[in-house]
Amino acid sequence: MTVWRRVATAVLLASITCLAVARQANADPARDALTPMRTSALPALPVTATPTGMGTVDGTAVAIGGGAAWALDDGATAWRSVAWPRAMVPADMAGIGSDGKNSYLLSGSGGHVDTVARLQLSPAGGLSVQPLPALPMPLDGAMAAISDTAIYVGGGAKGIWRIFRIDPSADRPAWSTVSAWPGVTNVSSMVVQTGALFVTAPSGDGEAIWRYIDDGGWSRRGILPGRVLPPPRPIGQAHVLYLVAPAKGAAPITPVTFQTITSSWTKVKGNDLPSAPLAVMPWHDGIAWASAADGRTAVTTAQFQGSKLLLKWLDWIVIVVYLASMIGIGLYFYLREKRNSTSNFFVGGRSIPFWAAGVSLYAANTSSISFIAIPAKAFESNWQYLTNNLIAVFGLMFVAVWIVPLLRRLDLMSVFSYLETRFHPAIRMIASALCILTQLGSRMSVILFLPALAIATITGISTTWSVILMGGFTIIYTAMGGMKAVIWTDFVQVIVKMGGAIFAIGFIIWSLHGGVGQFWSTAMAEHKMHLFDFSFDLTKATVWGFMFLVLFDVVLTFPKDQVLMQRTLSTKSDKEAGRSIWAFAAMMIPGGFVFYMIGTALFVFYKAHPERMNPLLPIDATFPLFIAAELPMGVTGLIIAGIFAAAMATLSGIMNSVATLVSVDFFDKLVKNPTPRQSVLFAELTTVAVGLVGIGLALVLSRFDVHSLFDVSIELAGLLGGGFAGAYTLGMFTRRANAPGVAIGVVGSISLTFVAWVFRLVHPYFYLAISIFLCIVIGYVASLFFPPPAQSLRGLTIYRDGPEHH
């Protein structure tokens, strides 16, 4: 223990020193905009006609005006004339709504808009239209806001501003009315961002921004410094780009970004527009606009310039030392252990002390999802998901007393061996296969991709190479050292990542002008520490939902979690196994507060300094952006090492656990009498193979624009991992359940959960609980139609040697 105390003391002293250096480095309050815009010229339109609208149609820029239409060629070198759709009268066109992907034409007669149609390019090169159902009523001064799932059209009707919405992808699209606009003046712009509708309306010398969400209605979110010139454009996942003119006068026109989460705006660094544009459209990472210049119609584009924030030499030294130490631990156990049995490789010879197993449990449970996605979730919303940690502690108490000692007494390596002993070998193999898919699909890929996103943001190394390098290092030390290397590297990694997380919070609060007072007042005013939601809405994350979830996700799911159970199975006895769970529970609440506090601190910081955000980055990159842009040299490397530690601790556990399942549940079953050396060699090769598959899946995931990887991991885990968890409940808590009934329960629960997913019946957080509950009910009822188990159940239920219970 002396060595570990020295390590902890060194980390603490280093953190204090770095904080002092960081304070000095940030003494200057002046900050520059992090992401400027750069303007460039596109070819001028071939005529001087004023464009009525511009937009993107099937990836091609299109301008319409004066009864004519033009499309920009693929190389952006010239505009070509395209045929006007025969179904449309040019004089009836009122404007175009575009989101940078699709464009919709607004048209009508007599100055009123009653028709919305999607613009398309025909194979012959002309424009065509695909009309939507007619608006419920004609609108004056109509404008549109487009998103991937809905089209909003607003305008005046009988002196009242009305907004209608339609889902064009529905089988039978139909317009619905959005809740009545509460403003006293007409709307000047509309845009959809972060799943919400944002509108602006004149207010004094500026324009007020209002937000509409289905479950919260209208709320005022801020004010912009001048008159908004439509249309605005969504940027990234949480920004809107507005063009703002002075309250009095016509120029200059200033680009302004509004951050939808912090409700703060900042002027974009770059060139202002000298005059109001004739038409504006989304274009790549910015906008393009038409303007009159020297007797022609010029087209100009302004694009955000996101730059890589590269690591300094001292950061690289810190990271290299960390990675080298992980390889060193793996090499140490590779040279020390005889490696003559799978027991040594998979469960460390059952010699791990309970406190080390408990720390390793916490390390495995706090992956890169905790280090990156949870701060992003708290930055975007509040602390409601932390309720799960608080309630989970009570569930872990039950697990420590009843479930873990029962399984530890059976001397298992694969937790699914229990299902074979209790039910049937087929159920064991099916459950084990589903667990492998769950770990690879819903955990390993996400846990690899998240830190790779951070590394790509900070170092300039591509996401692909980041995934390969991080996965490769983890494969090496896990394959060399087995479970002992996994647990002892976990111990070091907890110190590194928690030290980095605590330092980040202290640094953010210290860098605020108002210090702790500003942090506290801003967080409370914005309800960023809101913790408990006692509503009974099944579509939200509520206290009741978490209580329901913990019963299933912790108490009833823990036995099937090979990654966590393998650490408890590595302890010396069933009593030590129980103690490891108590140690895990003791760390869960303070650890949870740390990661959610990071998100809140980030919110306060970026509300005060919105110019330091990069609109092009996803929300999940918020913490990595702060690490790269705000921390001084050396400290950045320390926090990056913490991100590595968060990911690698969980990755190593998953690799070792999945290799255990493949070896014990399949190799040892299908290969006749393998020698111990053959089994260990297969385990080592399987560890490498599992790591490579995880790397491949993470690379696939990196090709998609995912709003919240935290939500994705929860959703996939519920769909893939819930069905067979109910089999443990039926086996441990009943004597009547049998193999045929449990098999029916597993298949039925997974099928019905997919139905709930397809129709979006409940919040994804409930999928796992629903699947387990259905498995228990269906499995028990189905078991009643088959004979009771014939074999002895001694030691296989929580009743131990007591009387039978049904």
Side-chain angles (χ1 to χ4, degrees):
M1 285 296 292
T2 303
V3 175
W4 303 121
R5 287 173 182 166
R6 289 175 179 173
V7 171
T9 302
V11 171
L12 179 62
L13 291 175
S15 298
I16 294 173
T17 303
C18 290
L19 192 59
V21 173
R23 177 66 169 175
Q24 182 66 29
N26 284 270
D28 183 6
R31 296 177 182 269
D32 294 326
L34 195 62
T35 312
M37 295 184 78
R38 185 177 65 186
T39 59
S40 60
L42 290 175
L45 288 173
V47 296
T48 58
T50 301
T52 309
M54 300 175 69
T56 304
V57 179
D58 301 330
T60 300
V62 171
I64 299 175
W70 304 270
L72 188 64
D73 63 22
D74 293 339
T77 59
W79 294 88
R80 59 181 174 85
S81 179
V82 294
W84 180 261
R86 295 180 180 179
M88 301 296 298
V89 177
D92 292 342
M93 177 183 161
I96 294 177
S98 180
D99 63 352
K101 301 175 184 177
N102 302 307
S103 294
Y104 289 82
L105 192 68
L106 307 181
S107 61
S109 59
H112 305 297
V113 170
D114 55 15
T115 302
V116 180
R118 180 179 177 179
L119 282 171
Q120 295 177 311
L121 284 172
S122 64
L127 282 176
S128 63
V129 292
Q130 183 181 1
L132 295 174
L135 287 168
M137 62 181 65
L139 300 176
D140 298 326
M143 60 185 65
I146 316 297
S147 74
D148 292 337
T149 59
I151 301 171
Y152 294 83
V153 176
K158 300 179 180 178
I160 300 176
W161 187 271
R162 302 177 187 272
I163 302 175
F164 302 108
R165 176 174 57 190
I166 193 172
D167 179 0
S169 64
D171 293 334
R172 295 183 177 180
W175 293 98
S176 60
T177 302
V178 172
S179 179
W181 160 242
V184 295
T185 59
N186 287 347
V187 170
S188 57
S189 74
M190 294 171 42
V191 67
V192 180
Q193 178 61 289
T194 326
L197 175 66
F198 289 85
V199 305
T200 57
S203 176
D205 290 335
E207 297 217 7
I209 299 179
W210 292 75
R211 183 187 70 178
Y212 174 81
I213 52 177
D214 289 334
D215 59 354
W218 292 98
S219 60
R220 184 162 168 162
R221 303 300 298 172
I223 192 163
L224 290 173
R227 295 181 294 107
V228 171
L229 303 181
R233 122 116 276 191
I235 295 289
Q237 293 183 341
H239 283 79
V240 177
L241 175 63
Y242 290 96
L243 295 180
V244 177
K248 298 179 180 179
I253 312 301
T254 304
V256 172
T257 56
F258 178 76
Q259 220 286 334
T260 60
I261 296 173
T262 62
S263 297
S264 53
W265 61 269
T266 185
K267 292 182 179 179
V268 179
K269 185 177 180 181
N271 296 327
D272 292 340
L273 281 67
S275 61
L278 303 175
V280 180
M281 71 173 180
W283 181 250
H284 298 317
D285 291 331
I287 56 173
W289 66 90
S291 57
D294 300 327
R296 62 192 180 96
T297 303
V299 180
T300 310
T301 177
Q303 305 294 304
F304 283 101
Q305 303 299 304
S307 59
K308 297 295 182 182
L309 302 161
L310 305 182
L311 294 178
K312 307 298 190 299
W313 62 269
L314 184 57
D315 299 316
W316 283 113
I317 290 177
V318 172
I319 293 172
V320 169
V321 168
Y322 163 75
L323 292 175
S325 66
M326 296 300 100
I327 298 295
I329 293 174
L331 182 61
Y332 170 78
F333 285 108
Y334 179 81
L335 298 175
R336 177 184 174 185
E337 300 297 317
K338 296 181 179 180
R339 308 172 67 80
N340 55 3
S341 72
T342 51
S343 175
N344 280 332
F345 189 81
F346 290 135
V347 289
R350 304 194 194 277
S351 61
I352 304 299
F354 79 89
W355 52 267
V359 172
S360 183
L361 282 167
Y362 179 75
N365 198 61
T366 53
S367 63
S368 54
I369 294 176
S370 302
F371 213 95
I372 299 175
I374 287 181
K377 194 70 177 177
F379 168 79
E380 183 180 12
S381 55
N382 49 41
W383 288 12
Q384 280 182 234
Y385 283 83
L386 181 58
T387 309
N388 184 54
N389 291 48
L390 305 179
I391 299 175
V393 170
F394 296 99
L396 288 174
M397 294 178 183
F398 182 88
V399 169
V401 174
W402 293 100
I403 294 177
V404 166
L406 185 155
L407 293 174
R408 177 61 186 85
R409 285 196 300 272
L410 298 175
D411 283 338
L412 310 174
M413 279 192 286
S414 164
V415 293
F416 299 104
S417 300
Y418 170 82
L419 294 181
E420 176 177 357
T421 306
R422 177 66 176 85
F423 296 115
H424 191 274
I427 293 184
R428 168 187 180 173
M429 298 183 78
I430 292 173
S432 181
L434 285 172
C435 180
I436 291 170
L437 288 175
T438 302
Q439 293 297 336
L440 291 175
S442 72
R443 294 207 69 200
M444 195 171 181
S445 57
V446 174
I447 290 164
L448 254 175
F449 173 64
L450 272 175
L453 177 67
I455 296 164
T457 301
I458 295 168
T459 66
I461 300 175
S462 69
T463 303
T464 298
W465 278 109
S466 298
V467 168
I468 293 172
L469 291 174
M470 185 172 51
F473 273 99
T474 310
I475 289 172
I476 292 171
Y477 80 75
T478 305
M480 285 196 305
M483 178 52 72
K484 286 188 178 179
V486 169
I487 288 181
W488 291 112
T489 53
D490 283 354
F491 192 91
V492 175
Q493 287 162 344
V494 164
I495 296 175
V496 173
K497 67 187 175 186
M498 296 309 295
I502 294 171
F503 175 84
I505 296 171
F507 176 84
I508 293 173
I509 295 176
W510 203 343
S511 66
L512 296 172
H513 296 306
V516 175
Q518 180 182 352
F519 169 80
W520 183 259
S521 61
T522 303
M524 296 305 292
E526 299 287 344
H527 308 289
K528 298 302 292 184
M529 295 183 182
H530 177 66
L531 190 57
F532 300 111
D533 183 348
F534 290 97
S535 67
F536 290 93
D537 188 346
L538 293 180
T539 64
K540 296 181 179 179
T542 66
V543 170
W544 315 111
F546 284 123
M547 292 177 65
F548 181 71
L549 181 68
V550 164
L551 171 62
F552 291 94
D553 191 24
V554 177
V555 175
L556 304 183
T557 305
F558 203 95
K560 64 89 181 174
D561 194 328
Q562 177 72 22
V563 175
L564 297 181
M565 279 300 304
Q566 198 160 332
R567 287 155 167 78
T568 66
L569 297 173
S570 302
T571 54
K572 300 175 183 178
S573 65
D574 57 334
K575 186 174 293 185
E576 290 274 290
R579 288 175 178 172
S580 70
I581 302 299
W582 285 104
F584 173 30
M587 300 178 68
M588 180 171 280
I589 292 180
F593 273 106
V594 167
F595 290 115
Y596 280 88
M597 185 70 76
I598 292 174
T600 303
L602 289 171
F603 177 89
V604 176
F605 178 84
Y606 283 119
K607 188 172 181 65
H609 301 288
E611 73 282 358
R612 299 299 292 172
M613 295 207 77
N614 184 342
L616 303 179
L617 292 179
I619 296 172
D620 279 325
T622 304
F623 190 30
L625 171 67
F626 178 85
I627 295 169
E630 311 305 333
L631 295 178
M633 180 175 65
V635 180
T636 299
L638 176 66
I639 307 294
I640 290 297
I643 294 176
F644 271 130
M648 294 169 74
T650 308
L651 286 174
S652 61
I654 294 174
M655 289 179 189
N656 189 267
S657 298
V658 172
T660 301
L661 297 181
V662 175
S663 299
V664 176
D665 291 337
F666 294 93
F667 180 78
D668 291 349
K669 287 287 183 181
L670 301 177
V671 177
K672 295 182 179 179
N673 303 318
T675 65
R677 181 56 196 158
Q678 287 176 327
S679 296
V680 172
L681 178 60
F682 181 81
E684 294 169 351
L685 295 176
T686 303
T687 301
V688 175
V690 168
L692 293 176
V693 171
I695 289 173
L697 292 175
L699 294 177
V700 172
L701 186 64
S702 68
R703 299 295 184 264
F704 295 92
D705 181 20
V706 181
H707 178 77
S708 173
L709 288 167
F710 182 66
D711 291 338
V712 170
S713 64
I714 291 172
E715 193 166 342
L716 289 175
L719 292 173
L720 297 175
F724 58 86
Y728 283 92
T729 305
L730 291 169
M732 292 182 176
F733 294 91
T734 77
R735 289 179 175 267
R736 186 61 181 82
N738 50 48
V742 169
I744 294 172
V746 170
V747 174
S749 63
I750 293 177
S751 301
L752 292 174
T753 305
F754 267 96
V755 172
W757 172 71
V758 169
F759 291 99
R760 299 291 175 182
L761 300 179
V762 296
H763 192 281
Y765 227 78
F766 291 104
Y767 291 162
L768 185 66
I770 289 172
S771 187
I772 297 173
F773 178 76
L774 289 172
C775 181
I776 294 170
V777 173
I778 296 173
Y780 190 84
V781 172
S783 294
L784 299 178
F785 292 91
F786 300 93
Q791 80 273 23
S792 171
L793 301 182
R794 186 178 298 274
L796 298 177
T797 70
I798 63 170
Y799 308 115
R800 297 187 183 179
D801 301 327
E804 289 196 3
H805 296 260
H806 298 281

